Coordinates of all heavy atoms in Angstrom, one line a residue:
Chain B
A1247 N -51.5 -9.1 27.7 CA -52.8 -9.5 28.0 C -53.1 -9.4 29.5 O -54.2 -9.7 30.0 CB -53.1 -11.0 27.6
G1248 N -52.1 -9.0 30.3 CA -52.4 -8.7 31.7 C -51.9 -9.9 32.6 O -52.2 -9.8 33.8
D1249 N -51.1 -10.8 32.1 CA -50.6 -11.9 32.9 C -49.4 -11.4 33.8 O -48.3 -11.1 33.2 CB -50.1 -13.0 31.9 CG -49.6 -14.2 32.7 OD1 -49.3 -14.1 33.9 OD2 -49.6 -15.3 32.1
T1250 N -49.7 -11.3 35.1 CA -48.6 -10.7 35.9 C -47.4 -11.6 36.0 O -46.3 -11.1 36.2 CB -49.2 -10.5 37.4 OG1 -49.9 -11.6 37.8 CG2 -50.1 -9.3 37.4
Q1251 N -47.6 -12.9 35.9 CA -46.5 -13.8 36.0 C -45.6 -13.6 34.8 O -44.3 -13.5 34.9 CB -47.0 -15.3 36.0 CG -46.0 -16.4 36.1 CD -45.2 -16.3 37.4 OE1 -45.9 -16.1 38.4 NE2 -43.9 -16.4 37.4
A1252 N -46.2 -13.4 33.6 CA -45.4 -13.2 32.4 C -44.7 -11.9 32.5 O -43.5 -11.8 32.1 CB -46.3 -13.2 31.2
W1253 N -45.3 -10.9 33.1 CA -44.7 -9.6 33.2 C -43.5 -9.7 34.2 O -42.4 -9.2 33.9 CB -45.7 -8.6 33.8 CG -45.0 -7.3 34.2 CD1 -44.7 -6.9 35.5 CD2 -44.4 -6.3 33.3 NE1 -44.0 -5.7 35.4 CE2 -43.8 -5.3 34.1 CE3 -44.3 -6.2 31.9 CZ2 -43.1 -4.2 33.6 CZ3 -43.6 -5.1 31.4 CH2 -43.1 -4.1 32.3
G1254 N -43.6 -10.5 35.2 CA -42.5 -10.7 36.1 C -41.3 -11.4 35.4 O -40.2 -11.0 35.6
D1255 N -41.7 -12.4 34.6 CA -40.6 -13.0 33.8 C -39.9 -12.1 32.9 O -38.7 -12.1 32.7 CB -41.2 -14.2 33.0 CG -41.6 -15.3 34.0 OD1 -41.2 -15.3 35.2 OD2 -42.4 -16.2 33.6
L1256 N -40.7 -11.3 32.2 CA -40.2 -10.3 31.3 C -39.2 -9.3 32.0 O -38.2 -9.0 31.5 CB -41.3 -9.4 30.7 CG -41.8 -9.7 29.3 CD1 -42.7 -8.7 28.8 CD2 -40.6 -9.8 28.3
Y1257 N -39.7 -8.9 33.2 CA -38.9 -8.0 34.0 C -37.5 -8.6 34.3 O -36.5 -8.0 34.1 CB -39.6 -7.6 35.3 CG -38.8 -6.8 36.2 CD1 -38.6 -5.5 36.0 CD2 -38.2 -7.5 37.3 CE1 -37.7 -4.8 36.9 CE2 -37.4 -6.7 38.2 CZ -37.2 -5.4 37.9 OH -36.3 -4.7 38.8
R1258 N -37.6 -9.8 34.8 CA -36.3 -10.5 35.1 C -35.4 -10.7 33.9 O -34.2 -10.6 34.0 CB -36.6 -11.9 35.8 CG -36.9 -11.7 37.3 CD -37.1 -13.1 37.9 NE -38.4 -13.7 37.6 CZ -39.6 -13.4 38.2 NH1 -39.6 -12.5 39.2 NH2 -40.7 -13.9 37.8
E1259 N -36.0 -10.9 32.8 CA -35.2 -11.1 31.6 C -34.5 -9.8 31.2 O -33.4 -9.8 30.8 CB -36.2 -11.5 30.4 CG -35.6 -11.6 29.1 CD -34.8 -12.9 28.9 OE1 -35.1 -13.8 29.6 OE2 -33.9 -12.9 28.0
Y1260 N -35.2 -8.7 31.3 CA -34.7 -7.4 30.8 C -34.1 -6.5 31.8 O -33.4 -5.5 31.4 CB -35.8 -6.7 30.0 CG -36.0 -7.3 28.6 CD1 -37.1 -8.2 28.4 CD2 -35.2 -7.1 27.5 CE1 -37.3 -8.8 27.2 CE2 -35.4 -7.7 26.3 CZ -36.5 -8.5 26.2 OH -36.7 -9.1 25.0
A1261 N -34.4 -6.7 33.1 CA -34.0 -5.7 34.1 C -32.4 -5.6 34.1 O -31.9 -4.4 34.2 CB -34.5 -6.1 35.5
P1262 N -31.6 -6.6 34.0 CA -30.2 -6.4 34.1 C -29.7 -5.5 33.0 O -28.9 -4.6 33.2 CB -29.6 -7.9 34.0 CG -30.7 -8.7 34.4 CD -32.0 -8.1 34.0
A1263 N -30.1 -5.8 31.8 CA -29.7 -5.0 30.6 C -30.1 -3.5 30.8 O -29.4 -2.6 30.5 CB -30.2 -5.5 29.3
M1264 N -31.4 -3.4 31.3 CA -31.9 -2.0 31.4 C -31.2 -1.3 32.5 O -30.9 -0.1 32.4 CB -33.4 -2.2 31.8 CG -34.2 -1.0 31.6 SD -34.1 -0.2 30.0 CE -34.4 -1.6 28.9
F1265 N -30.8 -2.0 33.6 CA -30.1 -1.3 34.7 C -28.7 -0.9 34.2 O -28.2 0.2 34.5 CB -29.9 -2.3 35.9 CG -28.9 -1.8 36.9 CD1 -29.3 -0.7 37.7 CD2 -27.7 -2.4 37.1 CE1 -28.4 -0.2 38.7 CE2 -26.8 -1.9 38.1 CZ -27.2 -0.8 38.9
R1266 N -28.1 -1.8 33.4 CA -26.8 -1.4 32.8 C -26.9 -0.2 31.9 O -26.0 0.7 31.9 CB -26.2 -2.6 32.1 CG -24.7 -2.8 32.4 CD -24.2 -4.1 31.9 NE -25.0 -5.2 32.4 CZ -25.4 -6.2 31.6 NH1 -25.2 -6.2 30.3 NH2 -26.1 -7.2 32.2
F1267 N -27.9 -0.2 31.1 CA -28.2 1.0 30.3 C -28.2 2.3 31.1 O -27.5 3.3 30.8 CB -29.5 0.8 29.5 CG -29.9 2.0 28.7 CD1 -29.4 2.1 27.3 CD2 -30.6 3.0 29.2 CE1 -29.8 3.2 26.6 CE2 -31.0 4.1 28.4 CZ -30.6 4.2 27.1
C1268 N -29.0 2.2 32.2 CA -29.2 3.4 33.0 C -27.9 3.7 33.7 O -27.5 4.9 33.9 CB -30.3 3.2 34.1 SG -31.9 3.0 33.3
R1269 N -27.2 2.7 34.1 CA -25.9 2.9 34.8 C -24.9 3.6 34.0 O -24.1 4.4 34.4 CB -25.3 1.5 35.3 CG -24.2 1.5 36.2 CD -24.6 1.9 37.6 NE -23.4 2.1 38.4 CZ -22.8 3.2 38.6 NH1 -23.2 4.3 38.0 NH2 -21.7 3.3 39.4
R1270 N -24.9 3.3 32.7 CA -24.0 3.9 31.7 C -24.4 5.4 31.4 O -23.6 6.2 31.2 CB -23.9 3.2 30.4 CG -23.6 1.7 30.6 CD -22.1 1.5 30.9 NE -21.9 0.0 31.1 CZ -21.6 -0.6 32.2 NH1 -21.5 0.1 33.3 NH2 -21.4 -1.9 32.2
A1271 N -25.8 5.5 31.4 CA -26.3 6.8 30.9 C -26.4 7.9 32.0 O -26.3 9.1 31.8 CB -27.7 6.7 30.3
L1272 N -26.6 7.4 33.3 CA -26.8 8.4 34.3 C -25.6 8.5 35.3 O -24.8 7.5 35.4 CB -28.0 8.0 35.1 CG -29.3 7.9 34.3 CD1 -30.5 7.3 35.1 CD2 -29.7 9.3 33.9
P1273 N -25.5 9.6 36.0 CA -24.3 9.8 36.7 C -24.0 8.9 38.0 O -22.9 8.6 38.2 CB -24.4 11.3 37.2 CG -25.7 11.8 36.8 CD -26.4 10.8 35.9
T1274 N -25.1 8.5 38.7 CA -24.8 7.7 39.9 C -25.6 6.4 39.8 O -26.5 6.2 39.1 CB -25.2 8.5 41.1 OG1 -26.6 8.6 41.1 CG2 -24.6 9.8 41.2
R1275 N -25.1 5.5 40.7 CA -25.7 4.2 40.8 C -27.2 4.3 41.3 O -28.1 3.6 40.8 CB -24.9 3.3 41.8 CG -25.4 1.9 41.9 CD -24.6 1.1 42.9 NE -25.3 -0.1 43.3 CZ -25.1 -1.3 42.7 NH1 -24.4 -1.3 41.6 NH2 -25.8 -2.3 43.0
E1276 N -27.4 5.2 42.3 CA -28.7 5.5 42.8 C -29.7 6.0 41.7 O -30.8 5.5 41.6 CB -28.7 6.5 44.0 CG -28.1 6.0 45.2 CD -26.6 5.9 45.2 OE1 -26.0 6.6 44.3 OE2 -26.0 5.2 46.0
D1277 N -29.1 6.9 40.9 CA -30.0 7.4 39.8 C -30.4 6.2 38.9 O -31.5 6.1 38.4 CB -29.2 8.4 39.0 CG -29.0 9.7 39.7 OD1 -29.9 10.0 40.5 OD2 -28.0 10.4 39.4
A1278 N -29.4 5.3 38.6 CA -29.7 4.2 37.7 C -30.7 3.3 38.3 O -31.6 2.8 37.6 CB -28.4 3.5 37.4
E1279 N -30.6 3.0 39.6 CA -31.6 2.2 40.3 C -33.0 2.8 40.2 O -34.0 2.1 39.8 CB -31.2 2.0 41.7 CG -30.0 1.1 41.9 CD -29.6 1.0 43.4 OE1 -30.3 1.6 44.3 OE2 -28.5 0.4 43.6
D1280 N -33.1 4.1 40.5 CA -34.4 4.7 40.5 C -34.9 4.7 39.0 O -36.1 4.4 38.8 CB -34.2 6.2 40.9 CG -34.0 6.3 42.4 OD1 -34.0 5.3 43.0 OD2 -33.8 7.4 42.9
A1281 N -34.1 5.0 38.1 CA -34.5 5.2 36.7 C -35.0 3.8 36.2 O -36.0 3.7 35.5 CB -33.4 5.7 35.8
T1282 N -34.3 2.7 36.6 CA -34.6 1.4 36.1 C -36.1 1.1 36.6 O -36.9 0.6 35.8 CB -33.7 0.3 36.6 OG1 -32.4 0.7 36.3 CG2 -34.0 -1.0 36.0
M1283 N -36.3 1.4 37.8 CA -37.6 1.1 38.4 C -38.7 1.9 37.7 O -39.8 1.4 37.3 CB -37.6 1.4 39.8 CG -37.9 0.2 40.7 SD -37.8 0.7 42.4 CE -36.7 -0.6 42.9
E1284 N -38.4 3.2 37.5 CA -39.4 4.1 36.9 C -39.6 3.7 35.4 O -40.8 3.7 35.0 CB -38.9 5.5 36.9 CG -39.0 6.1 38.3 CD -38.0 7.3 38.6 OE1 -37.3 7.7 37.6 OE2 -37.9 7.7 39.7
I1285 N -38.6 3.3 34.8 CA -38.8 2.8 33.4 C -39.7 1.6 33.3 O -40.6 1.6 32.4 CB -37.4 2.5 32.7 CG1 -36.6 3.8 32.5 CG2 -37.6 1.8 31.4 CD1 -35.2 3.6 32.2
F1286 N -39.5 0.7 34.2 CA -40.4 -0.5 34.1 C -41.8 -0.2 34.5 O -42.7 -0.8 34.0 CB -39.8 -1.6 35.0 CG -38.8 -2.4 34.2 CD1 -37.5 -2.2 34.3 CD2 -39.2 -3.4 33.3 CE1 -36.5 -3.0 33.6 CE2 -38.3 -4.2 32.6 CZ -37.0 -3.9 32.7
M1287 N -41.9 0.8 35.4 CA -43.3 1.3 35.7 C -44.0 1.8 34.5 O -45.1 1.6 34.2 CB -43.3 2.3 36.8 CG -43.1 1.8 38.2 SD -42.9 3.1 39.4 CE -43.0 2.2 40.9
K1288 N -43.2 2.7 33.8 CA -43.7 3.3 32.5 C -44.0 2.2 31.5 O -45.1 2.2 30.9 CB -42.6 4.2 31.9 CG -42.8 5.6 32.3 CD -41.9 6.5 31.5 CE -41.8 7.9 32.1 NZ -40.8 8.7 31.6
L1289 N -43.1 1.3 31.4 CA -43.3 0.2 30.4 C -44.5 -0.6 30.7 O -45.3 -0.9 29.7 CB -42.1 -0.7 30.4 CG -40.8 -0.2 29.8 CD1 -39.6 -1.1 30.1 CD2 -40.9 -0.1 28.3
R1290 N -44.8 -0.8 31.9 CA -46.0 -1.6 32.2 C -47.2 -0.9 31.9 O -48.2 -1.4 31.4 CB -46.0 -2.0 33.7 CG -46.9 -3.1 34.0 CD -46.9 -3.5 35.4 NE -47.7 -4.8 35.5 CZ -48.0 -5.3 36.7 NH1 -47.7 -4.7 37.8 NH2 -48.7 -6.4 36.7
E1291 N -47.2 0.4 32.2 CA -48.4 1.3 31.8 C -48.6 1.3 30.3 O -49.7 1.4 29.8 CB -48.2 2.7 32.3 CG -48.5 2.9 33.8 CD -48.0 4.2 34.3 OE1 -47.8 5.2 33.5 OE2 -47.7 4.3 35.5
K1292 N -47.4 1.4 29.6 CA -47.5 1.6 28.1 C -47.5 0.3 27.3 O -47.5 0.3 26.1 CB -46.3 2.4 27.7 CG -46.3 3.8 28.1 CD -45.1 4.5 27.5 CE -45.1 6.0 27.8 NZ -44.0 6.7 27.2
L1293 N -47.5 -0.8 28.0 CA -47.4 -2.1 27.3 C -48.4 -2.3 26.3 O -48.1 -2.9 25.2 CB -47.4 -3.3 28.4 CG -46.8 -4.6 27.9 CD1 -45.3 -4.4 27.5 CD2 -46.9 -5.6 29.0
S1294 N -49.6 -1.8 26.5 CA -50.7 -2.0 25.6 C -50.4 -1.2 24.3 O -51.0 -1.5 23.2 CB -52.0 -1.6 26.2 OG -51.9 -0.2 26.6
Q1295 N -49.5 -0.2 24.4 CA -49.2 0.6 23.2 C -48.2 -0.1 22.3 O -47.9 0.4 21.2 CB -48.8 2.0 23.6 CG -49.8 2.8 24.3 CD -49.2 4.1 24.9 OE1 -48.1 4.5 24.6 NE2 -49.9 4.6 25.9
Y1296 N -47.5 -1.1 22.8 CA -46.4 -1.7 22.1 C -46.9 -2.4 20.9 O -47.9 -3.2 20.9 CB -45.6 -2.6 23.0 CG -44.8 -3.6 22.3 CD1 -43.7 -3.2 21.5 CD2 -45.0 -5.0 22.3 CE1 -42.9 -4.1 20.8 CE2 -44.2 -5.9 21.7 CZ -43.2 -5.4 20.9 OH -42.4 -6.3 20.2
D1297 N -46.3 -2.2 19.7 CA -46.7 -2.9 18.5 C -45.9 -4.2 18.4 O -44.7 -4.1 18.1 CB -46.4 -1.9 17.3 CG -46.6 -2.5 16.0 OD1 -47.1 -3.7 15.9 OD2 -46.2 -1.9 15.0
P1298 N -46.5 -5.3 18.5 CA -45.8 -6.6 18.5 C -45.0 -6.9 17.2 O -44.2 -7.8 17.2 CB -46.9 -7.6 18.8 CG -48.1 -6.9 19.2 CD -48.0 -5.5 18.6
S1299 N -45.4 -6.2 16.2 CA -44.7 -6.5 14.9 C -43.3 -5.9 14.9 O -42.5 -6.2 14.1 CB -45.5 -6.0 13.7 OG -45.5 -4.6 13.8
R1300 N -43.0 -5.1 15.9 CA -41.7 -4.5 15.9 C -40.8 -5.1 17.1 O -41.4 -5.8 18.0 CB -41.8 -2.9 16.1 CG -42.7 -2.4 15.0 CD -42.8 -0.9 15.1 NE -41.5 -0.2 14.9 CZ -41.3 1.1 15.0 NH1 -42.4 1.9 15.3 NH2 -40.2 1.6 14.8
S1301 N -39.6 -4.7 17.1 CA -38.7 -5.3 18.1 C -39.0 -4.8 19.5 O -39.2 -3.6 19.7 CB -37.2 -5.0 17.7 OG -36.4 -5.0 18.9
F1302 N -39.1 -5.8 20.4 CA -39.5 -5.4 21.8 C -38.4 -4.6 22.4 O -38.5 -3.6 23.1 CB -39.8 -6.6 22.6 CG -40.2 -6.3 24.0 CD1 -41.4 -5.7 24.3 CD2 -39.4 -6.7 25.1 CE1 -41.8 -5.4 25.6 CE2 -39.8 -6.4 26.4 CZ -41.0 -5.7 26.6
S1303 N -37.1 -5.1 22.3 CA -36.0 -4.5 22.9 C -35.8 -3.1 22.4 O -35.4 -2.2 23.1 CB -34.8 -5.3 22.9 OG -34.4 -5.5 21.5
A1304 N -36.1 -2.9 21.1 CA -35.9 -1.6 20.5 C -36.9 -0.6 21.1 O -36.5 0.5 21.5 CB -36.2 -1.6 19.0
W1305 N -38.1 -1.1 21.3 CA -39.1 -0.3 22.0 C -38.7 0.1 23.4 O -38.8 1.2 23.9 CB -40.5 -1.0 21.9 CG -41.6 -0.3 22.6 CD1 -42.2 0.8 22.2 CD2 -42.2 -0.7 23.8 NE1 -43.2 1.2 23.1 CE2 -43.2 0.3 24.1 CE3 -42.0 -1.7 24.7 CZ2 -44.1 0.2 25.2 CZ3 -42.9 -1.8 25.8 CH2 -43.9 -0.8 26.1
L1306 N -38.2 -1.0 24.1 CA -37.8 -0.8 25.5 C -36.7 0.2 25.6 O -36.7 1.1 26.5 CB -37.3 -2.2 25.9 CG -37.3 -2.6 27.3 CD1 -38.1 -3.8 27.5 CD2 -35.9 -2.9 27.8
Y1307 N -35.7 0.1 24.7 CA -34.6 1.1 24.8 C -35.0 2.5 24.4 O -34.5 3.5 24.9 CB -33.4 0.6 23.9 CG -32.6 -0.4 24.6 CD1 -32.5 -1.7 24.1 CD2 -32.0 -0.1 25.9 CE1 -31.8 -2.7 24.8 CE2 -31.3 -1.1 26.5 CZ -31.2 -2.4 26.0 OH -30.5 -3.3 26.7

Side-chain angles (χ1 to χ4, degrees):
Chain B
D1249 183 339
T1250 48
Q1251 182 64 43
W1253 170 254
D1255 292 344
L1256 258 189
Y1257 173 77
R1258 277 184 285 278
E1259 174 77 22
Y1260 286 96
M1264 198 50 55
F1265 171 68
R1266 225 171 301 133
F1267 175 90
C1268 297
R1269 189 75 186 90
R1270 307 288 179 247
L1272 299 171
T1274 68
R1275 184 183 166 87
E1276 286 76 19
D1277 286 333
E1279 287 175 6
D1280 288 356
T1282 307
M1283 241 176 231
E1284 286 156 7
I1285 288 166
F1286 274 99
M1287 282 176 169
K1288 260 188 194 169
L1289 286 169
R1290 196 176 191 191
E1291 280 169 22
K1292 291 183 171 182
L1293 200 59
S1294 57
Q1295 296 168 19
Y1296 163 64
D1297 173 5
S1299 64
R1300 304 182 66 182
S1301 156
F1302 181 69
S1303 59
W1305 178 70
L1306 204 122
Y1307 280 117

